[in-house]
Amino acid sequence: MKAKSKLAQSYNKEMTIKTTKTKLAGEIFVPGDKSVSHRALMFAVFSQGKSRVTGLSPAQDCQSTMDCLRQLGLDFSLETTGNTGSTHAQPVTIIHSPGLSGLKSSDKLMDAGNSGTTIRLLSGICAGLPFESRFDGDESLRKRPMARVLQPLAEMGAKFRYEKEEGKPPFIIAGGNLQGRDFVLKVASAQVETALLLAGLQASGRTSVQLPHIARDHTQRMFQYLGLPFERDAQGKTTVARLTASIAPYELTVPGDISSAAFFMVAASCLEGSNILLKNVGFNPGRTLIFDVLKEMQADVSLENVREQCGEPVADIRVKGVKRLKGATISGEKIASGVDEIPILALAGSLCDGQLKVTDASELRHKESDRLALIAQNIGAIGGLIQEFDDGFIITGQEQLKGGGHWQTKLDHRLAMSGLVAQALCKSPPEIEEIASAGISYPQFKRDFDILVT
Ligand code: S3P
């Protein structure tokens, strides 16, 4: 035990954000959006030839998608423009795709690593392919529910079997001969919706998916941009039919990731005197919770230079620090528009003048970790006042967080990055279990945070 804590202490030096109780200033480009990047890579299976994607996310999750797509016969090469050391480096990824009919069966396992989006969306693609595909992931992914995708795919005619635990990876899908179906989903999951639509593009008849309410609609926006035919009604139901011809290879630019920007938005809001500009951030209507809640908490957040890029709304986000945020309530339909941002919002809540109440958020228990449990544990560890419930929590804000304590991550990237922000906000920085997992979505997070700290 003693040796372990010594090791943790020595790691903690490099794992500590430059300084505590300071402010953030300057401007950065956050890396490319992870959700858009996964789709930009995967949708190339419906084209034949060379597509070019600029600003692809450097996330390890997107590398997992590329690794799996390689098993199916796609190939990738990289060009980089701009200064590779700066936040504005714009990688250009060339995707070489053999087209849907050229995809091959791989005798190798498709390892989705930590990525729920990779395993679920690719399950939708592989459900339509006339061969067996084997999927697995890391320890965290092996705990995540897959029946929500595989069950409806089976209703379309795909066959699958779990290799170890019922409902969890690893599993095998035997695809082909799909029939279109109409699905009304209980969970507003863009991942499940997308998987079914990707299968629907390979099924006979029509496939429709209705979510209970709005979630991120990157899939539909990219379908529109790439010329993949679909219909969407006023209730948000999306319908596709079998694709009869390949789409043309494409050029696409990925906007910055609002889920990555969220960490700086909260840090700058809580540090009075801060003034930062987060450039070129995707502002999909299904992902605006972080902005809307901070506004409700009376943060000084605003959008500049709002525009559209490859079908996605994009803006520069200006954030200025205020003396103290107010309380807010996040519940019901709003959760889906910021499901990944609740851990960092919990920190904002811990310092607010009032309470942050979160309900209807039981989905957070099925993410890369049980995020509700970890939020409660970590906020408690740094001296915050939190009550955990089955589907959420209530935090009573304080003027100051004493800090110290041990910040657990369970290798969940969003918890690791929240821990680094906690270090900047607490009187005494907590010790973070590890920060390497930040690479799952944002490998250069600490560098970029240090750029903004003045
Ligand atoms: C994602 C959808 C969300 C989100 C995940 C990425 C996507 O999951 O949590 O990080 O790219 O579609 P659910 O749709 O399952 O809530």
Side-chain angles (χ1 to χ4, degrees):
M1 268 314 275
K2 230 178 171 182
K4 194 177 169 205
S5 72
K6 248 193 174 165
L7 196 65
Q9 272 172 20
S10 68
Y11 279 153
N12 213 42
K13 271 196 191 140
E14 70 191 58
M15 292 188 338
T16 303
I17 226 77
K18 252 188 203 160
T19 173
T20 58
K21 274 292 168 197
T22 176
K23 58 187 178 177
L24 303 190
E27 48 181 71
I28 57 164
F29 289 81
V30 291
D33 188 275
K34 191 155 76 75
S35 289
V36 174
S37 297
H38 283 300
R39 288 161 174 79
L41 291 166
M42 290 186 203
F43 294 3
V45 299
F46 300 110
S47 76
Q48 203 182 345
K50 256 196 216 176
S51 292
R52 287 168 62 90
V53 179
T54 302
L56 194 84
S57 163
Q60 280 163 26
D61 272 2
C62 296
Q63 291 298 324
S64 296
T65 288
M66 287 162 90
D67 289 344
C68 293
L69 287 171
R70 271 191 203 101
Q71 304 292 340
L72 291 171
L74 278 76
D75 201 9
F76 305 92
S77 49
L78 196 69
E79 290 167 8
T80 299
T81 59
N83 172 0
T84 47
S86 91
T87 64
H88 196 198
Q90 285 280 285
V92 179
T93 305
I94 318 288
I95 311 172
H96 309 260
S97 173
L100 204 55
S101 57
L103 297 183
K104 58 170 200 227
S105 167
S106 164
D107 49 0
K108 285 209 205 122
L109 186 81
M110 283 196 265
D111 182 359
N114 191 252
S115 176
T117 310
T118 304
I119 203 165
R120 294 194 176 120
L121 270 54
L122 277 174
S123 294
I125 290 174
C126 290
L129 301 175
F131 47 76
E132 284 197 345
S133 307
R134 279 185 75 208
F135 286 98
D136 201 359
D138 68 7
E139 219 182 296
S140 148
L141 197 64
R142 280 183 167 200
K143 294 194 187 112
R144 296 182 67 184
M146 295 298 143
R148 53 178 65 190
V149 174
L150 296 183
Q151 206 56 51
L153 289 175
E155 285 172 37
M156 295 176 78
K159 298 192 175 46
F160 68 90
R161 86 175 174 274
Y162 299 110
E163 291 194 291
K164 286 205 162 84
E165 196 184 331
E166 192 61 23
K168 311 273 162 72
F171 58 82
I172 295 178
I173 300 185
N177 285 328
L178 299 183
Q179 289 284 329
R181 286 274 183 282
D182 296 314
F183 295 104
V184 179
L185 302 184
K186 289 202 187 80
V187 183
S189 166
Q191 286 181 353
V192 178
E193 177 189 45
T194 305
L196 300 177
L197 293 172
L198 295 176
L201 287 170
Q202 306 168 75
S204 64
R206 289 159 70 82
T207 300
S208 70
V209 190
Q210 172 83 66
L211 293 183
H213 52 79
I214 179 177
R216 63 194 72 198
D217 65 353
H218 302 302
T219 295
Q220 292 85 342
R221 285 170 186 272
M222 205 177 284
F223 278 6
Q224 178 79 33
Y225 177 75
L226 302 183
L228 274 157
F230 72 103
E231 287 162 24
R232 196 176 186 191
D233 72 13
Q235 283 68 50
K237 179 169 88 175
T238 306
T239 306
V240 293
R242 193 198 293 279
L243 197 65
T244 48
S246 292
I247 56 166
Y250 45 87
E251 299 228 354
L252 190 147
T253 300
V254 179
D257 196 326
I258 191 160
S259 298
S260 299
F263 298 97
F264 306 118
M265 291 170 75
V266 167
S269 294
C270 294
L271 292 166
E272 198 182 359
S274 294
N275 185 353
I276 60 169
L277 188 66
L278 303 164
K279 306 226 355 157
N280 203 46
V281 182
F283 204 72
N284 184 284
R287 300 211 22 213
T288 61
L289 181 91
I290 181 71
F291 186 87
D292 300 341
V293 170
L294 283 174
K295 261 226 138 49
E296 188 183 333
M297 296 174 90
Q298 294 182 27
D300 189 349
V301 286
S302 54
L303 299 182
E304 297 176 9
N305 195 14
V306 181
R307 57 206 182 273
E308 201 178 283
Q309 180 186 285
C310 302
E312 288 281 350
V314 169
D316 299 341
I317 303 180
R318 167 84 58 194
V319 188
K320 294 182 183 168
V322 294
K323 192 155 186 54
R324 197 148 171 220
L325 296 174
K326 301 285 184 228
T329 299
I330 314 174
S331 62
E333 300 188 359
K334 283 198 234 164
I335 299 291
S337 63
V339 69
D340 296 329
E341 284 71 80
I342 306 289
I344 189 63
L345 276 169
L347 266 178
S350 310
L351 284 166
C352 79
D353 179 11
Q355 289 191 318
L356 178 70
K357 296 184 191 167
V358 174
T359 58
D360 306 312
S362 51
E363 263 303 294
L364 267 79
R365 296 203 185 275
H366 307 292
K367 294 293 177 186
E368 287 84 328
S369 66
D370 177 344
R371 287 185 175 159
L372 290 181
L374 279 191
I375 288 170
Q377 205 148 341
N378 288 332
I379 296 294
I382 57 172
L385 305 172
I386 182 162
Q387 251 186 301
E388 180 189 352
F389 304 104
D390 281 354
D391 70 340
F393 53 81
I394 296 180
I395 296 176
T396 303
Q398 300 171 92
E399 213 169 331
Q400 193 173 63
L401 282 168
K402 77 171 168 32
H406 182 69
W407 187 278
Q408 280 197 45
T409 73
K410 292 246 164 78
L411 300 180
D412 181 331
H413 55 127
R414 304 221 187 267
L415 268 302
M417 291 185 281
S418 299
L420 283 170
V421 176
Q423 289 187 334
L425 299 183
C426 288
K427 193 155 176 265
S428 140
E431 181 184 275
I432 309 176
E433 191 177 329
E434 53 78 40
I435 56 164
S437 63
I440 289 294
S441 60
Y442 195 164
Q444 297 285 15
F445 178 73
K446 188 170 179 306
R447 177 200 71 180
D448 292 356
F449 206 125
D450 285 343
I451 289 174
L452 292 175
V453 168
T454 58

